[in-house]
Amino acid sequence: MALYHMGAFFAEVWYSHTDNRILTIRGTRGRSCLEPYLERIDLEALMREEQ
């Protein structure tokens, strides 16, 4: 699963490596879809790049 910020909305893409195909694509403008990702997001690398 991967989450992309597309400017005006977020896209969540579920991909099966086993079947080599996209299973689901879900788009949303709300930020509530981000909650499941909050514990996994590491912004340290981005913070270092800005310095």
Side-chain angles (χ1 to χ4, degrees):
M1 146 181 40
L3 180 68
Y4 299 93
H5 181 241
M6 306 302 290
F9 66 96
F10 294 93
E12 185 178 61
V13 179
W14 291 65
Y15 177 77
S16 169
H17 290 280
T18 305
D19 298 329
N20 192 31
R21 66 184 183 101
I22 294 173
L23 303 174
T24 304
I25 299 174
R26 184 175 69 164
T28 183
R29 290 181 185 261
R31 295 179 181 236
S32 62
C33 71
L34 301 177
E35 288 187 31
Y37 294 95
L38 292 178
E39 291 182 11
R40 299 179 186 175
I41 294 173
D42 180 8
L43 300 178
E44 287 297 321
L46 292 176
M47 299 297 279
R48 285 191 297 266
E49 289 178 9
E50 289 183 1
Q51 294 176 351

mmCIF file of all heavy atoms in Angstrom:
data_model
loop_
_atom_site.group_PDB
_atom_site.id
_atom_site.type_symbol
_atom_site.label_atom_id
_atom_site.label_comp_id
_atom_site.label_asym_id
_atom_site.label_seq_id
_atom_site.Cartn_x
_atom_site.Cartn_y
_atom_site.Cartn_z
ATOM 1 N N MET A 1 0.849 -1.155 0.000
ATOM 2 C CA MET A 1 0.000 0.000 0.000
ATOM 3 C C MET A 1 0.899 1.223 0.000
ATOM 4 O O MET A 1 1.954 1.244 0.629
ATOM 5 C CB MET A 1 -0.917 -0.090 1.217
ATOM 6 C CG MET A 1 -1.297 1.167 1.862
ATOM 7 S SD MET A 1 -2.354 0.964 3.308
ATOM 8 C CE MET A 1 -1.711 -0.444 4.138
ATOM 9 N N ALA A 2 0.478 2.239 -0.724
ATOM 10 C CA ALA A 2 1.240 3.487 -0.776
ATOM 11 C C ALA A 2 0.261 4.648 -0.754
ATOM 12 O O ALA A 2 -0.844 4.548 -1.268
ATOM 13 C CB ALA A 2 2.085 3.541 -2.043
ATOM 14 N N LEU A 3 0.681 5.750 -0.172
ATOM 15 C CA LEU A 3 -0.139 6.942 -0.082
ATOM 16 C C LEU A 3 0.574 8.057 -0.833
ATOM 17 O O LEU A 3 1.760 8.295 -0.626
ATOM 18 C CB LEU A 3 -0.338 7.342 1.379
ATOM 19 C CG LEU A 3 -1.178 8.586 1.624
ATOM 20 C CD1 LEU A 3 -2.633 8.337 1.239
ATOM 21 C CD2 LEU A 3 -1.083 8.998 3.082
ATOM 22 N N TYR A 4 -0.158 8.732 -1.706
ATOM 23 C CA TYR A 4 0.396 9.824 -2.506
ATOM 24 C C TYR A 4 -0.393 11.096 -2.252
ATOM 25 O O TYR A 4 -1.618 11.068 -2.172
ATOM 26 C CB TYR A 4 0.321 9.495 -4.002
ATOM 27 C CG TYR A 4 1.088 8.271 -4.383
ATOM 28 C CD1 TYR A 4 0.468 7.024 -4.425
ATOM 29 C CD2 TYR A 4 2.441 8.354 -4.688
ATOM 30 C CE1 TYR A 4 1.178 5.881 -4.770
ATOM 31 C CE2 TYR A 4 3.158 7.216 -5.030
ATOM 32 C CZ TYR A 4 2.521 5.991 -5.073
ATOM 33 O OH TYR A 4 3.221 4.867 -5.412
ATOM 34 N N HIS A 5 0.315 12.211 -2.136
ATOM 35 C CA HIS A 5 -0.340 13.516 -2.047
ATOM 36 C C HIS A 5 -0.323 14.106 -3.449
ATOM 37 O O HIS A 5 0.740 14.308 -4.029
ATOM 38 C CB HIS A 5 0.405 14.426 -1.061
ATOM 39 C CG HIS A 5 -0.238 15.755 -0.918
ATOM 40 N ND1 HIS A 5 0.410 16.914 -1.246
ATOM 41 C CD2 HIS A 5 -1.471 16.101 -0.489
ATOM 42 C CE1 HIS A 5 -0.402 17.928 -1.020
ATOM 43 N NE2 HIS A 5 -1.549 17.456 -0.565
ATOM 44 N N MET A 6 -1.501 14.361 -3.983
ATOM 45 C CA MET A 6 -1.623 14.809 -5.367
ATOM 46 C C MET A 6 -1.963 16.296 -5.464
ATOM 47 O O MET A 6 -2.540 16.744 -6.433
ATOM 48 C CB MET A 6 -2.701 13.979 -6.075
ATOM 49 C CG MET A 6 -2.487 12.480 -5.982
ATOM 50 S SD MET A 6 -0.913 11.920 -6.643
ATOM 51 C CE MET A 6 -1.162 12.184 -8.369
ATOM 52 N N GLY A 7 -1.610 17.050 -4.459
ATOM 53 C CA GLY A 7 -1.896 18.484 -4.461
ATOM 54 C C GLY A 7 -3.235 18.780 -3.809
ATOM 55 O O GLY A 7 -3.296 19.218 -2.678
ATOM 56 N N ALA A 8 -4.317 18.513 -4.510
ATOM 57 C CA ALA A 8 -5.665 18.801 -3.993
ATOM 58 C C ALA A 8 -6.293 17.604 -3.290
ATOM 59 O O ALA A 8 -7.336 17.735 -2.675
ATOM 60 C CB ALA A 8 -6.563 19.265 -5.129
ATOM 61 N N PHE A 9 -5.668 16.425 -3.417
ATOM 62 C CA PHE A 9 -6.243 15.229 -2.796
ATOM 63 C C PHE A 9 -5.155 14.205 -2.508
ATOM 64 O O PHE A 9 -4.015 14.354 -2.944
ATOM 65 C CB PHE A 9 -7.340 14.611 -3.680
ATOM 66 C CG PHE A 9 -6.842 14.052 -4.983
ATOM 67 C CD1 PHE A 9 -6.552 12.707 -5.104
ATOM 68 C CD2 PHE A 9 -6.664 14.862 -6.088
ATOM 69 C CE1 PHE A 9 -6.096 12.177 -6.301
ATOM 70 C CE2 PHE A 9 -6.215 14.346 -7.288
ATOM 71 C CZ PHE A 9 -5.928 13.001 -7.395
ATOM 72 N N PHE A 10 -5.529 13.171 -1.772
ATOM 73 C CA PHE A 10 -4.636 12.056 -1.468
ATOM 74 C C PHE A 10 -5.118 10.835 -2.234
ATOM 75 O O PHE A 10 -6.322 10.639 -2.423
ATOM 76 C CB PHE A 10 -4.649 11.732 0.029
ATOM 77 C CG PHE A 10 -4.073 12.829 0.869
ATOM 78 C CD1 PHE A 10 -4.884 13.797 1.417
ATOM 79 C CD2 PHE A 10 -2.712 12.886 1.096
ATOM 80 C CE1 PHE A 10 -4.353 14.814 2.195
ATOM 81 C CE2 PHE A 10 -2.170 13.902 1.874
ATOM 82 C CZ PHE A 10 -2.991 14.866 2.415
ATOM 83 N N ALA A 11 -4.190 10.002 -2.688
ATOM 84 C CA ALA A 11 -4.530 8.750 -3.356
ATOM 85 C C ALA A 11 -3.854 7.605 -2.617
ATOM 86 O O ALA A 11 -2.643 7.635 -2.372
ATOM 87 C CB ALA A 11 -4.069 8.768 -4.806
ATOM 88 N N GLU A 12 -4.644 6.618 -2.262
ATOM 89 C CA GLU A 12 -4.139 5.415 -1.602
ATOM 90 C C GLU A 12 -4.177 4.289 -2.641
ATOM 91 O O GLU A 12 -5.210 4.045 -3.253
ATOM 92 C CB GLU A 12 -5.036 5.081 -0.416
ATOM 93 C CG GLU A 12 -4.540 3.927 0.402
ATOM 94 C CD GLU A 12 -5.451 3.678 1.591
ATOM 95 O OE1 GLU A 12 -6.639 3.393 1.377
ATOM 96 O OE2 GLU A 12 -4.967 3.767 2.718
ATOM 97 N N VAL A 13 -3.040 3.660 -2.863
ATOM 98 C CA VAL A 13 -2.928 2.617 -3.885
ATOM 99 C C VAL A 13 -2.497 1.314 -3.222
ATOM 100 O O VAL A 13 -1.478 1.276 -2.537
ATOM 101 C CB VAL A 13 -1.910 3.017 -4.981
ATOM 102 C CG1 VAL A 13 -1.786 1.919 -6.025
ATOM 103 C CG2 VAL A 13 -2.292 4.339 -5.619
ATOM 104 N N TRP A 14 -3.286 0.275 -3.427
ATOM 105 C CA TRP A 14 -2.972 -1.064 -2.926
ATOM 106 C C TRP A 14 -2.474 -1.884 -4.110
ATOM 107 O O TRP A 14 -3.160 -2.005 -5.121
ATOM 108 C CB TRP A 14 -4.209 -1.710 -2.327
ATOM 109 C CG TRP A 14 -4.669 -1.073 -1.059
ATOM 110 C CD1 TRP A 14 -5.151 0.188 -0.897
ATOM 111 C CD2 TRP A 14 -4.668 -1.666 0.227
ATOM 112 N NE1 TRP A 14 -5.458 0.410 0.412
ATOM 113 C CE2 TRP A 14 -5.176 -0.708 1.125
ATOM 114 C CE3 TRP A 14 -4.302 -2.920 0.706
ATOM 115 C CZ2 TRP A 14 -5.319 -0.968 2.478
ATOM 116 C CZ3 TRP A 14 -4.454 -3.164 2.055
ATOM 117 C CH2 TRP A 14 -4.955 -2.203 2.926
ATOM 118 N N TYR A 15 -1.267 -2.445 -3.971
ATOM 119 C CA TYR A 15 -0.623 -3.191 -5.058
ATOM 120 C C TYR A 15 -0.265 -4.590 -4.573
ATOM 121 O O TYR A 15 0.237 -4.762 -3.465
ATOM 122 C CB TYR A 15 0.643 -2.454 -5.499
ATOM 123 C CG TYR A 15 1.428 -3.165 -6.563
ATOM 124 C CD1 TYR A 15 1.008 -3.149 -7.890
ATOM 125 C CD2 TYR A 15 2.574 -3.869 -6.244
ATOM 126 C CE1 TYR A 15 1.731 -3.804 -8.859
ATOM 127 C CE2 TYR A 15 3.305 -4.531 -7.211
ATOM 128 C CZ TYR A 15 2.876 -4.493 -8.520
ATOM 129 O OH TYR A 15 3.576 -5.154 -9.488
ATOM 130 N N SER A 16 -0.516 -5.585 -5.413
ATOM 131 C CA SER A 16 -0.150 -6.961 -5.102
ATOM 132 C C SER A 16 1.129 -7.319 -5.856
ATOM 133 O O SER A 16 1.128 -7.384 -7.089
ATOM 134 C CB SER A 16 -1.269 -7.927 -5.504
ATOM 135 O OG SER A 16 -0.803 -9.269 -5.424
ATOM 136 N N HIS A 17 2.218 -7.529 -5.111
ATOM 137 C CA HIS A 17 3.473 -7.955 -5.740
ATOM 138 C C HIS A 17 3.342 -9.386 -6.273
ATOM 139 O O HIS A 17 3.938 -9.725 -7.291
ATOM 140 C CB HIS A 17 4.629 -7.876 -4.748
ATOM 141 C CG HIS A 17 4.993 -6.479 -4.400
ATOM 142 N ND1 HIS A 17 5.770 -5.699 -5.202
ATOM 143 C CD2 HIS A 17 4.655 -5.706 -3.332
ATOM 144 C CE1 HIS A 17 5.922 -4.506 -4.648
ATOM 145 N NE2 HIS A 17 5.246 -4.486 -3.510
ATOM 146 N N THR A 18 2.543 -10.188 -5.604
ATOM 147 C CA THR A 18 2.347 -11.569 -6.022
ATOM 148 C C THR A 18 1.689 -11.651 -7.391
ATOM 149 O O THR A 18 2.121 -12.397 -8.268
ATOM 150 C CB THR A 18 1.477 -12.325 -4.992
ATOM 151 O OG1 THR A 18 2.084 -12.209 -3.715
ATOM 152 C CG2 THR A 18 1.339 -13.785 -5.360
ATOM 153 N N ASP A 19 0.631 -10.852 -7.569
ATOM 154 C CA ASP A 19 -0.117 -10.871 -8.831
ATOM 155 C C ASP A 19 0.360 -9.818 -9.824
ATOM 156 O O ASP A 19 -0.121 -9.766 -10.958
ATOM 157 C CB ASP A 19 -1.610 -10.639 -8.554
ATOM 158 C CG ASP A 19 -2.208 -11.721 -7.679
ATOM 159 O OD1 ASP A 19 -1.740 -12.870 -7.754
ATOM 160 O OD2 ASP A 19 -3.142 -11.413 -6.915
ATOM 161 N N ASN A 20 1.282 -8.943 -9.388
ATOM 162 C CA ASN A 20 1.802 -7.864 -10.220
ATOM 163 C C ASN A 20 0.677 -6.993 -10.782
ATOM 164 O O ASN A 20 0.609 -6.732 -11.979
ATOM 165 C CB ASN A 20 2.674 -8.408 -11.352
ATOM 166 C CG ASN A 20 3.457 -7.310 -12.036
ATOM 167 O OD1 ASN A 20 3.821 -6.318 -11.413
ATOM 168 N ND2 ASN A 20 3.713 -7.480 -13.313
ATOM 169 N N ARG A 21 -0.225 -6.570 -9.876
ATOM 170 C CA ARG A 21 -1.325 -5.717 -10.327
ATOM 171 C C ARG A 21 -1.806 -4.823 -9.184
ATOM 172 O O ARG A 21 -1.613 -5.126 -8.012
ATOM 173 C CB ARG A 21 -2.482 -6.536 -10.862
ATOM 174 C CG ARG A 21 -3.188 -7.383 -9.828
ATOM 175 C CD ARG A 21 -4.284 -8.254 -10.464
ATOM 176 N NE ARG A 21 -4.993 -8.988 -9.447
ATOM 177 C CZ ARG A 21 -6.187 -8.650 -8.969
ATOM 178 N NH1 ARG A 21 -6.818 -7.612 -9.470
ATOM 179 N NH2 ARG A 21 -6.761 -9.353 -8.027
ATOM 180 N N ILE A 22 -2.424 -3.739 -9.562
ATOM 181 C CA ILE A 22 -3.030 -2.826 -8.598
ATOM 182 C C ILE A 22 -4.370 -3.403 -8.182
ATOM 183 O O ILE A 22 -5.192 -3.765 -9.033
ATOM 184 C CB ILE A 22 -3.193 -1.423 -9.201
ATOM 185 C CG1 ILE A 22 -1.816 -0.821 -9.465
ATOM 186 C CG2 ILE A 22 -4.027 -0.530 -8.278
ATOM 187 C CD1 ILE A 22 -1.839 0.486 -10.218
ATOM 188 N N LEU A 23 -4.583 -3.492 -6.895
ATOM 189 C CA LEU A 23 -5.830 -4.045 -6.373
ATOM 190 C C LEU A 23 -6.891 -2.982 -6.165
ATOM 191 O O LEU A 23 -8.060 -3.193 -6.466
ATOM 192 C CB LEU A 23 -5.571 -4.770 -5.048
ATOM 193 C CG LEU A 23 -4.539 -5.892 -5.094
ATOM 194 C CD1 LEU A 23 -4.281 -6.411 -3.697
ATOM 195 C CD2 LEU A 23 -5.028 -7.004 -6.012
ATOM 196 N N THR A 24 -6.490 -1.838 -5.622
ATOM 197 C CA THR A 24 -7.442 -0.782 -5.283
ATOM 198 C C THR A 24 -6.768 0.574 -5.370
ATOM 199 O O THR A 24 -5.606 0.716 -5.006
ATOM 200 C CB THR A 24 -7.958 -0.962 -3.829
ATOM 201 O OG1 THR A 24 -8.510 -2.249 -3.688
ATOM 202 C CG2 THR A 24 -8.998 0.077 -3.471
ATOM 203 N N ILE A 25 -7.516 1.550 -5.834
ATOM 204 C CA ILE A 25 -7.088 2.947 -5.775
ATOM 205 C C ILE A 25 -8.228 3.718 -5.126
ATOM 206 O O ILE A 25 -9.377 3.603 -5.548
ATOM 207 C CB ILE A 25 -6.793 3.533 -7.165
ATOM 208 C CG1 ILE A 25 -5.673 2.759 -7.840
ATOM 209 C CG2 ILE A 25 -6.444 5.018 -7.057
ATOM 210 C CD1 ILE A 25 -5.414 3.167 -9.267
ATOM 211 N N ARG A 26 -7.888 4.472 -4.090
ATOM 212 C CA ARG A 26 -8.909 5.245 -3.393
ATOM 213 C C ARG A 26 -8.414 6.672 -3.246
ATOM 214 O O ARG A 26 -7.306 6.907 -2.786
ATOM 215 C CB ARG A 26 -9.165 4.636 -2.015
ATOM 216 C CG ARG A 26 -10.272 5.316 -1.252
ATOM 217 C CD ARG A 26 -10.562 4.597 0.025
ATOM 218 N NE ARG A 26 -9.446 4.762 0.960
ATOM 219 C CZ ARG A 26 -9.523 4.520 2.251
ATOM 220 N NH1 ARG A 26 -10.626 4.042 2.777
ATOM 221 N NH2 ARG A 26 -8.487 4.698 3.025
ATOM 222 N N GLY A 27 -9.231 7.614 -3.659
ATOM 223 C CA GLY A 27 -8.881 9.020 -3.538
ATOM 224 C C GLY A 27 -9.778 9.702 -2.522
ATOM 225 O O GLY A 27 -10.932 9.338 -2.364
ATOM 226 N N THR A 28 -9.209 10.711 -1.839
ATOM 227 C CA THR A 28 -9.976 11.477 -0.868
ATOM 228 C C THR A 28 -9.386 12.865 -0.719
ATOM 229 O O THR A 28 -8.183 13.051 -0.849
ATOM 230 C CB THR A 28 -10.027 10.771 0.501
ATOM 231 O OG1 THR A 28 -10.849 11.536 1.382
ATOM 232 C CG2 THR A 28 -8.663 10.607 1.102
ATOM 233 N N ARG A 29 -10.246 13.816 -0.451
ATOM 234 C CA ARG A 29 -9.791 15.182 -0.179
ATOM 235 C C ARG A 29 -9.622 15.411 1.314
ATOM 236 O O ARG A 29 -8.929 16.312 1.726
ATOM 237 C CB ARG A 29 -10.788 16.199 -0.735
ATOM 238 C CG ARG A 29 -10.803 16.247 -2.223
ATOM 239 C CD ARG A 29 -11.796 17.291 -2.695
ATOM 240 N NE ARG A 29 -11.908 17.264 -4.133
ATOM 241 C CZ ARG A 29 -11.279 18.108 -4.935
ATOM 242 N NH1 ARG A 29 -10.507 19.036 -4.441
ATOM 243 N NH2 ARG A 29 -11.428 18.015 -6.232
ATOM 244 N N GLY A 30 -10.269 14.587 2.118
ATOM 245 C CA GLY A 30 -10.183 14.738 3.566
ATOM 246 C C GLY A 30 -8.895 14.180 4.124
ATOM 247 O O GLY A 30 -8.231 13.350 3.503
ATOM 248 N N ARG A 31 -8.551 14.616 5.286
ATOM 249 C CA ARG A 31 -7.315 14.158 5.918
ATOM 250 C C ARG A 31 -7.538 12.986 6.854
ATOM 251 O O ARG A 31 -6.591 12.442 7.404
ATOM 252 C CB ARG A 31 -6.652 15.309 6.657
ATOM 253 C CG ARG A 31 -6.203 16.385 5.690
ATOM 254 C CD ARG A 31 -5.577 17.540 6.408
ATOM 255 N NE ARG A 31 -5.199 18.544 5.426
ATOM 256 C CZ ARG A 31 -3.981 19.013 5.296
ATOM 257 N NH1 ARG A 31 -3.032 18.594 6.078
ATOM 258 N NH2 ARG A 31 -3.712 19.912 4.390
ATOM 259 N N SER A 32 -8.783 12.583 7.037
ATOM 260 C CA SER A 32 -9.065 11.475 7.952
ATOM 261 C C SER A 32 -8.431 10.169 7.465
ATOM 262 O O SER A 32 -8.117 9.305 8.271
ATOM 263 C CB SER A 32 -10.571 11.293 8.138
ATOM 264 O OG SER A 32 -11.180 10.975 6.910
ATOM 265 N N CYS A 33 -8.192 10.039 6.170
ATOM 266 C CA CYS A 33 -7.553 8.828 5.633
ATOM 267 C C CYS A 33 -6.109 8.710 6.089
ATOM 268 O O CYS A 33 -5.502 7.648 5.993
ATOM 269 C CB CYS A 33 -7.630 8.808 4.117
ATOM 270 S SG CYS A 33 -6.557 10.016 3.318
ATOM 271 N N LEU A 34 -5.535 9.800 6.600
ATOM 272 C CA LEU A 34 -4.129 9.795 7.012
ATOM 273 C C LEU A 34 -3.897 9.136 8.362
ATOM 274 O O LEU A 34 -2.792 8.704 8.661
ATOM 275 C CB LEU A 34 -3.593 11.224 7.070
ATOM 276 C CG LEU A 34 -3.646 12.019 5.778
ATOM 277 C CD1 LEU A 34 -3.136 13.425 6.026
ATOM 278 C CD2 LEU A 34 -2.851 11.337 4.688
ATOM 279 N N GLU A 35 -4.924 9.054 9.183
ATOM 280 C CA GLU A 35 -4.752 8.535 10.539
ATOM 281 C C GLU A 35 -4.081 7.164 10.606
ATOM 282 O O GLU A 35 -3.186 6.966 11.420
ATOM 283 C CB GLU A 35 -6.082 8.542 11.276
ATOM 284 C CG GLU A 35 -6.510 9.951 11.625
ATOM 285 C CD GLU A 35 -7.738 9.994 12.490
ATOM 286 O OE1 GLU A 35 -7.942 9.068 13.290
ATOM 287 O OE2 GLU A 35 -8.481 10.976 12.370
ATOM 288 N N PRO A 36 -4.431 6.198 9.748
ATOM 289 C CA PRO A 36 -3.739 4.906 9.830
ATOM 290 C C PRO A 36 -2.247 4.986 9.503
ATOM 291 O O PRO A 36 -1.474 4.118 9.879
ATOM 292 C CB PRO A 36 -4.456 4.045 8.784
ATOM 293 C CG PRO A 36 -5.774 4.695 8.586
ATOM 294 C CD PRO A 36 -5.543 6.158 8.812
ATOM 295 N N TYR A 37 -1.810 6.045 8.831
ATOM 296 C CA TYR A 37 -0.412 6.182 8.431
ATOM 297 C C TYR A 37 0.438 6.934 9.455
ATOM 298 O O TYR A 37 1.660 6.900 9.384
ATOM 299 C CB TYR A 37 -0.326 6.930 7.091
ATOM 300 C CG TYR A 37 -0.923 6.180 5.939
ATOM 301 C CD1 TYR A 37 -2.240 6.407 5.557
ATOM 302 C CD2 TYR A 37 -0.182 5.243 5.243
ATOM 303 C CE1 TYR A 37 -2.800 5.717 4.499
ATOM 304 C CE2 TYR A 37 -0.731 4.548 4.183
ATOM 305 C CZ TYR A 37 -2.038 4.791 3.822
ATOM 306 O OH TYR A 37 -2.584 4.107 2.782
ATOM 307 N N LEU A 38 -0.188 7.629 10.374
ATOM 308 C CA LEU A 38 0.549 8.527 11.261
ATOM 309 C C LEU A 38 1.659 7.843 12.045
ATOM 310 O O LEU A 38 2.728 8.420 12.230
ATOM 311 C CB LEU A 38 -0.410 9.239 12.215
ATOM 312 C CG LEU A 38 -1.355 10.234 11.543
ATOM 313 C CD1 LEU A 38 -2.293 10.837 12.579
ATOM 314 C CD2 LEU A 38 -0.596 11.313 10.801
ATOM 315 N N GLU A 39 1.440 6.625 12.491
ATOM 316 C CA GLU A 39 2.477 5.928 13.261
ATOM 317 C C GLU A 39 3.632 5.462 12.389
ATOM 318 O O GLU A 39 4.723 5.207 12.874
ATOM 319 C CB GLU A 39 1.871 4.737 13.989
ATOM 320 C CG GLU A 39 0.927 5.151 15.104
ATOM 321 C CD GLU A 39 0.370 3.950 15.850
ATOM 322 O OE1 GLU A 39 0.855 2.828 15.649
ATOM 323 O OE2 GLU A 39 -0.564 4.154 16.637
ATOM 324 N N ARG A 40 3.422 5.354 11.081
ATOM 325 C CA ARG A 40 4.455 4.851 10.166
ATOM 326 C C ARG A 40 5.242 5.941 9.463
ATOM 327 O O ARG A 40 6.271 5.666 8.866
ATOM 328 C CB ARG A 40 3.809 3.976 9.094
ATOM 329 C CG ARG A 40 3.109 2.784 9.646
ATOM 330 C CD ARG A 40 2.500 2.014 8.531
ATOM 331 N NE ARG A 40 1.688 0.926 9.025
ATOM 332 C CZ ARG A 40 0.976 0.150 8.278
ATOM 333 N NH1 ARG A 40 0.960 0.326 6.972
ATOM 334 N NH2 ARG A 40 0.258 -0.812 8.796
ATOM 335 N N ILE A 41 4.760 7.160 9.479
ATOM 336 C CA ILE A 41 5.400 8.239 8.737
ATOM 337 C C ILE A 41 6.639 8.716 9.491
ATOM 338 O O ILE A 41 6.573 9.041 10.675
ATOM 339 C CB ILE A 41 4.423 9.409 8.518
ATOM 340 C CG1 ILE A 41 3.280 8.970 7.608
ATOM 341 C CG2 ILE A 41 5.145 10.610 7.920
ATOM 342 C CD1 ILE A 41 2.182 9.998 7.467
ATOM 343 N N ASP A 42 7.763 8.767 8.800
ATOM 344 C CA ASP A 42 9.011 9.250 9.372
ATOM 345 C C ASP A 42 9.449 10.471 8.556
ATOM 346 O O ASP A 42 9.824 10.345 7.389
ATOM 347 C CB ASP A 42 10.068 8.160 9.307
ATOM 348 C CG ASP A 42 11.397 8.595 9.892
ATOM 349 O OD1 ASP A 42 11.463 9.702 10.482
ATOM 350 O OD2 ASP A 42 12.361 7.833 9.765
ATOM 351 N N LEU A 43 9.402 11.629 9.159
ATOM 352 C CA LEU A 43 9.735 12.866 8.473
ATOM 353 C C LEU A 43 11.174 13.319 8.719
ATOM 354 O O LEU A 43 11.569 14.375 8.253
ATOM 355 C CB LEU A 43 8.769 13.973 8.903
ATOM 356 C CG LEU A 43 7.305 13.705 8.605
ATOM 357 C CD1 LEU A 43 6.457 14.854 9.137
ATOM 358 C CD2 LEU A 43 7.072 13.513 7.127
ATOM 359 N N GLU A 44 11.953 12.523 9.419
ATOM 360 C CA GLU A 44 13.331 12.906 9.743
ATOM 361 C C GLU A 44 14.144 13.210 8.489
ATOM 362 O O GLU A 44 14.876 14.185 8.454
ATOM 363 C CB GLU A 44 14.006 11.801 10.561
ATOM 364 C CG GLU A 44 13.499 11.711 11.983
ATOM 365 C CD GLU A 44 13.787 12.958 12.796
ATOM 366 O OE1 GLU A 44 14.885 13.535 12.647
ATOM 367 O OE2 GLU A 44 12.905 13.359 13.567
ATOM 368 N N ALA A 45 14.044 12.390 7.463
ATOM 369 C CA ALA A 45 14.825 12.608 6.242
ATOM 370 C C ALA A 45 14.423 13.923 5.579
ATOM 371 O O ALA A 45 15.280 14.663 5.087
ATOM 372 C CB ALA A 45 14.634 11.441 5.273
ATOM 373 N N LEU A 46 13.138 14.220 5.573
ATOM 374 C CA LEU A 46 12.687 15.488 4.984
ATOM 375 C C LEU A 46 13.178 16.677 5.783
ATOM 376 O O LEU A 46 13.551 17.703 5.212
ATOM 377 C CB LEU A 46 11.158 15.517 4.924
ATOM 378 C CG LEU A 46 10.514 14.537 3.943
ATOM 379 C CD1 LEU A 46 9.003 14.602 4.074
ATOM 380 C CD2 LEU A 46 10.937 14.830 2.521
ATOM 381 N N MET A 47 13.200 16.542 7.083
ATOM 382 C CA MET A 47 13.655 17.622 7.943
ATOM 383 C C MET A 47 15.144 17.909 7.706
ATOM 384 O O MET A 47 15.557 19.043 7.663
ATOM 385 C CB MET A 47 13.409 17.286 9.415
ATOM 386 C CG MET A 47 11.949 17.074 9.749
ATOM 387 S SD MET A 47 10.954 18.518 9.493
ATOM 388 C CE MET A 47 11.305 19.387 10.973
ATOM 389 N N ARG A 48 15.936 16.862 7.514
ATOM 390 C CA ARG A 48 17.377 17.026 7.263
ATOM 391 C C ARG A 48 17.609 17.702 5.912
ATOM 392 O O ARG A 48 18.517 18.508 5.762
ATOM 393 C CB ARG A 48 18.083 15.688 7.313
ATOM 394 C CG ARG A 48 18.255 15.162 8.715
ATOM 395 C CD ARG A 48 19.197 13.971 8.738
ATOM 396 N NE ARG A 48 18.674 12.847 7.976
ATOM 397 C CZ ARG A 48 17.971 11.841 8.502
ATOM 398 N NH1 ARG A 48 17.678 11.841 9.785
ATOM 399 N NH2 ARG A 48 17.536 10.867 7.737
ATOM 400 N N GLU A 49 16.775 17.379 4.902
ATOM 401 C CA GLU A 49 16.937 17.965 3.568
ATOM 402 C C GLU A 49 16.662 19.472 3.583
ATOM 403 O O GLU A 49 17.267 20.205 2.828
ATOM 404 C CB GLU A 49 15.998 17.290 2.567
ATOM 405 C CG GLU A 49 16.415 15.885 2.228
ATOM 406 C CD GLU A 49 15.450 15.214 1.281
ATOM 407 O OE1 GLU A 49 14.543 15.897 0.740
ATOM 408 O OE2 GLU A 49 15.576 14.005 1.091
ATOM 409 N N GLU A 50 15.759 19.923 4.432
ATOM 410 C CA GLU A 50 15.416 21.339 4.488
ATOM 411 C C GLU A 50 16.487 22.171 5.175
ATOM 412 O O GLU A 50 16.571 23.358 4.971
ATOM 413 C CB GLU A 50 14.081 21.527 5.221
ATOM 414 C CG GLU A 50 12.892 21.049 4.418
ATOM 415 C CD GLU A 50 11.577 21.316 5.140
ATOM 416 O OE1 GLU A 50 11.610 21.894 6.246
ATOM 417 O OE2 GLU A 50 10.545 20.955 4.588
ATOM 418 N N GLN A 51 17.336 21.562 5.970
ATOM 419 C CA GLN A 51 18.348 22.316 6.721
ATOM 420 C C GLN A 51 19.542 22.650 5.883
ATOM 421 O O GLN A 51 19.920 22.265 4.939
ATOM 422 C CB GLN A 51 18.786 21.533 7.954
ATOM 423 C CG GLN A 51 17.654 21.407 8.912
ATOM 424 C CD GLN A 51 18.044 20.547 10.122
ATOM 425 O OE1 GLN A 51 19.094 19.929 10.158
ATOM 426 N NE2 GLN A 51 17.164 20.495 11.102
#
